[in-house]
Amino acid sequence: MGRYIARKLVVLPIVMIGVSFIIFFVVRAIPGDPARLMAGTEATQEQVMAMRRQLGLDRSILFQYGVFLQGAVRGDLGNSINSGMPVVGEISRRIPYTLQLTFAALLVASVLGISAGVLAAVYKHSWVDQGVMLFAIIGASAANFWVALMAMSVFSVQLGWLPLFGADTWRHMVLPTFSLCVYPLALIARMSRSSMLEVVKQDYVRTAQAKGVSKFVVYTKHALRNALIPVITLVGLHFGVLLGGAVVTETVFSWPGVGRLLVDAVRYRDYPIIQGTVLFTVLSVVLVNFLVDIVLAAMNPRMRFD
Amino acid sequence: MNLSLRRCVVVFAVVLALVVGSSAAFASSLTIMQTEEPRSLDPSNHSATYTASVLHSMYENLTALDEEYEIVPGLATDWEQSEDGMKWTFYLRSGVAFHDGTPFDADAVKTAVDRMIDPDKGLVVYGRLGPVIEEVEVVDDLTVVFHLQDPYPAFTRLMAIGQAAIVSPSVIDDVASEPVGTGPYKFVEYVSGERVVMERNENYWGEVPEVEQLVWRWSPEDSVLVMALQTGEVDVVTPLPPAHVSVLEQYQGVEVIETPGARAFWVALNTTKEPLDDVRVRQALNYATDRQGLIDSILWGSGTVANSPVSPGNFGYDETLEAYPHDPERARELLAEAGYEDGFSIAIAVQEAEAQYVEALQGMWREVGVDVIVDQMEGGIWSDAVFAPKEENEVQASFASWSSATLDADMMLTPLFATDSFPPASANLGFYSNERVDELLQKAAFETDPEAREAMYIEAQGIIHEEAAHITLWYGNNIVGLQDNIEGIWTLAGGMLVVRNPRIVE
């Protein structure tokens, strides 16, 4: 285990440097000139050139990458081309919001999803099962965007219970969390159900039942532990996805997360912000995968590494 | 004793709550929601209309535009130009201070303008002022003289554009993070991704605004703008999409203000490539276009048929020019004359958000045998494609819109139709070139007699219109939705919201 962790920690900086190299060149390879986009259609060529000089975009890409790396090792990812503000400050202000929403949505999705999935498995083919699976199909196929707008229209505009947008109090979190958790909730419920049905067919479960252990204990104690392994992998994967920013949800609810920042940055070709955001996302995904591995190892001795 | 003490505490708490509650109700605040986040807090380093709206509450210029788009005094009370038009003297308002107490004087103006015209700073405003201003000279505390490189008759209009706002010399290099101006509202905070907050400037030289606080928010989602107005979480929204106007007009407590705007929407035709190099083909496409139909269907009626490449509200606009009528018959005749009786196909480069307009043209032009390919592109890619230099430019036609910040024909015609403005230098996207037009535009730019100048622009407009360099489509409306107890908010022709002295009436 210790060796496994050490190996991961050694690889991490190499991954980050590799990713920074790729993203640095890729953003500059996409058509679109940040200076022209900033100066607008009305800009003259002379003006665009002056801006490119000022931003250092007239230097060779390798030179620019050198400057970037030099700053990056000191924790300075440059300044936003548009606002002129430091990238690190900008991103670190957004991260807590993304984390908040991601945790809340995945917590709700996991608790409800696993409970619903287990219930559906226990009462297989009953109306509970059918109800859960119907929701799972709708939840997995409903567009996130549509769910968000419907929720706003009902709970904010019609009923007036919750604020429409913003991120000031816990009440502002309810609708974004709801609309963000629908999809993972549906997936988790389905996965929990099928995984549970798979596990209860195993011999050790039959043995436990034969011993006369109550159905409740068999399911929650013996079966659930093994049934959760694929579910945890799924939650971990989703975590990575959401950390990159739940772009649609953040946009609709004016939630100041990382995803929204990235989308705007791509639109204006704000290279430093794109680089910073992507690096942060990669780092998060790597770390979360790492955590998932450890959790799985803790849960299942067969998956331990040494 | 114990009981009465507890009672005292309760009473005190209730009183406190009432006091706090009522004072909170007293603090008047206005929330304004636009479609995009401000791109910068530096007025000289962006080109976005809705960023300009936010900054216009904090910053001021030497001159200003009023509700009729006329030039009025701003930080300068008076001005004059020299006989040869090369020198403009501005007399500054006395007793004005920046928000941080720095006095506003001739030195402050020089510091601010020197920054704008410094090519090494690479600011967006440089493109506007750099080629015009030679030098700023301080005569005395309240007098500055601008020495120009060439006469620029519309100079007072140029000094009124948002990018030429005067920022405080105390923050000259940090204005993007510490905005300090002289306007009726001063900066409190910018929470990126969330809001910009301002409070009123108690020491404002003009009328101190009634509303104490302004909060600017944004959402790129049209329906959120509408819902935010309905729930009352927001007091003002702009730009309100035309499709929602009729719904909101029926909503109680909400009002919609729609004013004609100065933004012209058009398709530039590449005059150097077959078949668009033939003027008859370009005219035919103009005749094949049902402008009113476009406005009624796609814009829900929120627009005006464009009759000229210059939009109304600009100095030099020719209102007598007649828009090309919708006449498919005439279009077919012209195409036949040009040898295209069987039609042809043409690709129009358009940004994603505007693709629906080109799709509408597709339907109209099919009637005359012209097959439109909607070449939909992401904004940055579109900009690279249409601004490619002539030899590399593959674009046949491009959809775009234009408005002049100075509300002067020069900035509508020169960048779009002068030979010197071929991409990438400027936005003559169709590589239109006409010697007489070039001559007129050059002469008019230096002509100090307004009447003679206007006549030149009118002649140039006529030629461009006749030669159908563009298919000028419509002038868009500016639409603002607001709670019906809000007054004193208006839009400038380009769509910029002016929130300088709003009032909340009971």
Side-chain angles (χ1 to χ4, degrees):
Chain A
M1 191 75 195
R3 251 180 49 213
Y4 170 76
I5 294 175
R7 201 170 62 221
K8 283 270 173 185
L9 288 180
V10 171
V11 171
L12 186 63
I14 301 173
V15 170
M16 296 308 287
I17 289 179
V19 168
S20 75
F21 185 78
I22 295 170
I23 186 68
F24 198 89
F25 283 83
V26 167
V27 292
R28 281 164 180 75
I30 346 173
D33 175 356
R36 186 168 283 284
L37 289 172
M38 187 175 167
T41 333
E42 288 87 345
T44 60
Q45 176 71 357
E46 194 195 0
Q47 172 181 1
V48 171
M49 293 321 283
M51 289 175 65
R52 291 183 61 86
R53 258 198 315 279
Q54 165 67 16
L55 295 168
L57 295 170
D58 57 336
R59 314 297 293 261
S60 78
I61 292 192
L62 271 178
F63 180 86
Q64 292 179 47
Y65 183 65
V67 172
F68 168 77
L69 263 194
Q70 229 174 23
V73 292
R74 284 181 279 116
D76 174 11
L77 297 176
N79 290 349
S80 155
I81 290 179
N82 272 286
S83 71
M85 305 292 226
V87 172
V88 172
E90 200 82 338
I91 293 180
S92 51
R93 209 194 81 70
R94 305 289 193 110
I95 289 173
Y97 289 98
T98 294
L99 288 181
Q100 236 178 23
L101 201 57
T102 305
F103 273 114
L106 281 183
L107 186 70
V108 173
S110 305
V111 171
L112 293 183
I114 293 172
S115 316
V118 170
L119 274 179
V122 174
Y123 302 104
K124 194 169 64 163
H125 301 318
S126 72
W127 62 268
V128 178
D129 183 19
Q130 282 166 358
V132 168
M133 285 307 100
L134 180 68
F135 166 80
I137 290 170
I138 297 175
S141 39
N144 190 246
F145 179 74
W146 181 83
V147 172
L149 287 180
M150 282 301 125
M152 291 168 111
S153 167
V154 173
F155 296 106
S156 298
V157 182
Q158 310 292 336
L159 298 171
W161 291 350
L162 293 162
L164 192 64
F165 65 89
D168 300 323
T169 65
W170 67 268
R171 295 176 66 234
H172 288 93
M173 266 192 81
V174 178
L175 289 181
T177 305
F178 167 73
S179 75
L180 194 59
C181 85
V182 169
Y183 181 69
L185 173 57
L187 289 191
I188 291 171
R190 278 184 72 95
M191 181 66 95
S192 308
R193 175 182 181 270
S194 60
S195 168
M196 196 70 180
L197 288 176
E198 201 56 40
V199 170
V200 292
K201 278 193 234 143
Q202 307 275 322
D203 291 343
Y204 76 92
V205 174
R206 201 165 341 122
T207 311
Q209 274 167 339
K211 275 195 316 197
V213 179
S214 79
K215 195 177 177 182
F216 180 77
V217 175
V218 170
Y219 274 96
T220 53
K221 202 161 161 231
H222 295 81
L224 187 60
R225 199 172 151 131
N226 279 319
L228 280 185
I229 288 172
V231 177
I232 289 172
T233 312
L234 177 76
V235 173
L237 280 176
H238 228 86
F239 207 90
V241 172
L242 290 188
L243 275 181
V247 175
V248 174
T249 308
E250 287 181 4
T251 303
V252 174
F253 292 100
S254 304
W255 188 264
V258 175
R260 184 72 222 144
L261 184 67
L262 178 61
V263 169
D264 280 341
V266 170
R267 193 168 144 211
Y268 306 132
R269 303 291 191 274
D270 199 328
Y271 298 152
I273 297 266
I274 303 179
Q275 287 153 204
T277 318
V278 171
L279 283 179
F280 159 71
T281 309
V282 170
L283 185 66
S284 323
V285 171
V286 171
L287 288 180
V288 168
N289 282 342
F290 183 44
L291 275 180
V292 169
D293 285 348
I294 291 175
V295 171
L296 288 179
M299 284 185 63
N300 186 347
R302 276 173 302 174
M303 294 172 86
R304 284 180 194 158
F305 307 90
D306 44 15
Chain B
M1 177 68 189
N2 206 355
L3 190 73
S4 68
L5 182 67
R6 195 180 295 166
R7 187 173 290 165
C8 268
V9 171
V10 170
V11 168
F12 178 73
V14 168
V15 169
L16 190 73
L18 281 175
V19 169
V20 170
S22 61
S23 75
F26 249 102
S28 51
S29 174
L30 204 67
T31 305
I32 304 137
M33 189 180 239
Q34 304 191 97
T35 42
E36 58 176 39
E37 180 159 1
R39 295 201 209 160
S40 170
L41 295 178
D42 179 346
S44 302
N45 207 21
H46 73 89
S47 60
T49 304
Y50 303 113
T51 303
S53 305
V54 175
L55 301 184
H56 193 57
S57 300
M58 292 194 289
Y59 294 110
E60 295 182 303
N61 296 47
L62 294 181
T63 56
L65 284 165
D66 69 3
E67 274 179 81
E68 272 78 48
Y69 311 150
E70 294 297 335
I71 288 291
V72 292
L75 287 172
T77 50
D78 202 5
W79 48 82
E80 63 196 24
Q81 64 172 315
S82 63
E83 199 66 24
D84 60 0
M86 296 289 284
K87 258 169 50 179
W88 283 79
T89 308
F90 285 83
Y91 302 100
L92 308 180
R93 200 173 286 281
S94 64
V96 177
F98 288 96
H99 297 149
D100 63 353
T102 309
F104 166 79
D105 55 21
D107 284 320
V109 172
K110 180 170 168 57
T111 311
V113 177
D114 278 351
R115 182 181 82 113
M116 299 178 205
I117 58 174
D118 180 354
D120 293 336
K121 302 264 190 227
L123 298 173
V124 170
V125 69
Y126 172 71
R128 290 278 163 76
L129 301 190
V132 177
I133 300 172
E134 177 71 42
E135 199 197 351
V136 184
E137 179 198 347
V138 174
V139 176
D140 61 45
D141 256 12
L142 294 173
T143 314
V144 267
V145 175
F146 288 77
H147 296 270
L148 307 191
Q149 297 169 17
D150 294 299
Y152 194 94
F155 192 65
T156 50
R157 288 179 174 269
L158 190 64
M159 292 318 286
I161 65 173
Q163 293 157 344
I166 305 296
V167 303
S168 171
S170 58
V171 293
I172 194 78
D173 288 317
D174 310 305
V175 66
S177 52
E178 291 174 63
V180 177
T182 55
Y185 284 92
K186 56 184 184 185
F187 179 72
V188 176
E189 61 169 353
Y190 170 33
V191 189
S192 103
E194 278 193 75
R195 60 174 170 261
V196 173
V197 182
M198 300 170 187
E199 63 182 12
R200 75 175 169 206
N201 173 8
E202 303 289 350
N203 302 317
Y204 185 53
W205 58 265
E207 194 185 337
V208 176
E210 283 175 26
V211 174
E212 289 164 21
Q213 188 188 46
L214 298 184
V215 181
W216 298 82
R217 317 265 332 206
W218 44 88
S219 169
E221 227 352 273
D222 288 350
S223 37
V224 173
L225 254 65
V226 173
M227 287 194 279
L229 202 57
Q230 289 178 328
T231 62
E233 280 169 72
V234 155
D235 301 298
V236 183
V237 300
T238 194
L240 191 66
H244 295 287
V245 169
S246 57
V247 178
L248 273 183
E249 274 174 344
Q250 283 159 23
Y251 203 86
Q252 211 170 10
V254 172
E255 195 187 345
V256 176
I257 304 178
E258 198 169 337
T259 46
R263 183 162 281 274
F265 290 78
W266 39 259
V267 175
L269 304 172
N270 191 330
T271 56
T272 63
K273 281 191 161 54
E274 271 186 43
L276 299 173
D277 55 349
D278 189 324
V279 63
R280 289 168 299 189
V281 175
R282 299 200 299 267
Q283 287 170 340
L285 294 179
N286 268 288
Y287 283 116
T289 307
D290 178 3
R291 293 169 170 77
Q292 191 59 51
L294 269 177
I295 294 169
D296 291 341
S297 57
I298 302 184
L299 299 175
W300 303 71
S302 293
T304 317
V305 168
N307 66 324
S308 155
V310 178
S311 52
N314 280 280
F315 175 85
Y317 165 66
D318 182 2
E319 57 180 4
T320 64
L321 215 55
E322 210 172 308
Y324 281 90
H326 181 219
D327 188 349
E329 199 45 51
R330 179 87 188 105
R332 274 189 288 264
E333 277 171 35
L334 282 163
L335 285 176
E337 265 178 50
Y340 293 99
E341 48 277 278
D342 300 329
F344 57 89
S345 79
I346 170 178
I348 303 182
V350 59
Q351 303 186 58
E352 279 154 347
E354 294 172 330
Q356 47 167 335
Y357 306 131
V358 175
E359 281 158 13
L361 290 177
Q362 199 173 32
M364 290 171 187
W365 293 2
R366 191 172 295 136
E367 250 185 277
V368 299
V370 175
D371 188 19
V372 172
I373 300 157
V374 184
D375 201 352
Q376 193 175 327
M377 300 176 188
E378 188 270 350
I381 297 176
W382 177 87
S383 147
D384 267 17
V386 303
F387 281 103
K390 194 173 171 191
E391 312 74 54
E392 297 159 29
N393 200 307
E394 314 246 306
V395 176
Q396 271 186 295
S398 43
F399 181 95
S401 66
W402 195 268
S403 72
S404 149
T406 54
L407 289 175
D408 185 89
D410 176 52
M411 244 187 224
M412 287 207 93
L413 295 177
T414 307
L416 296 181
F417 303 104
T419 306
D420 286 343
S421 302
F422 282 4
S426 194
N428 186 347
L429 302 184
F431 301 96
Y432 172 76
S433 180
N434 178 300
E435 268 178 42
R436 178 66 185 152
V437 169
D438 285 344
E439 187 192 337
L440 282 166
L441 293 181
Q442 248 158 37
K443 267 167 91 181
F446 302 147
E447 176 59 60
T448 46
D449 172 24
E451 265 172 50
R453 212 170 150 250
E454 189 172 17
M456 291 181 206
Y457 285 130
I458 286 178
E459 189 189 337
Q461 261 163 91
I463 300 171
I464 295 163
H465 181 72
E466 179 62 31
E467 293 204 312
H470 279 181
I471 298 165
T472 317
L473 297 167
W474 72 83
Y475 310 125
N477 283 1
N478 298 323
I479 314 176
V480 180
L482 69 176
Q483 307 294 347
D484 63 5
N485 61 343
I486 312 261
E487 286 178 359
I489 286 180
W490 46 283
T491 48
L492 269 175
M496 186 184 96
L497 197 65
V498 180
V499 189
R500 291 175 63 86
N501 190 5
R503 289 177 298 281
I504 303 174
V505 294
E506 291 313 320

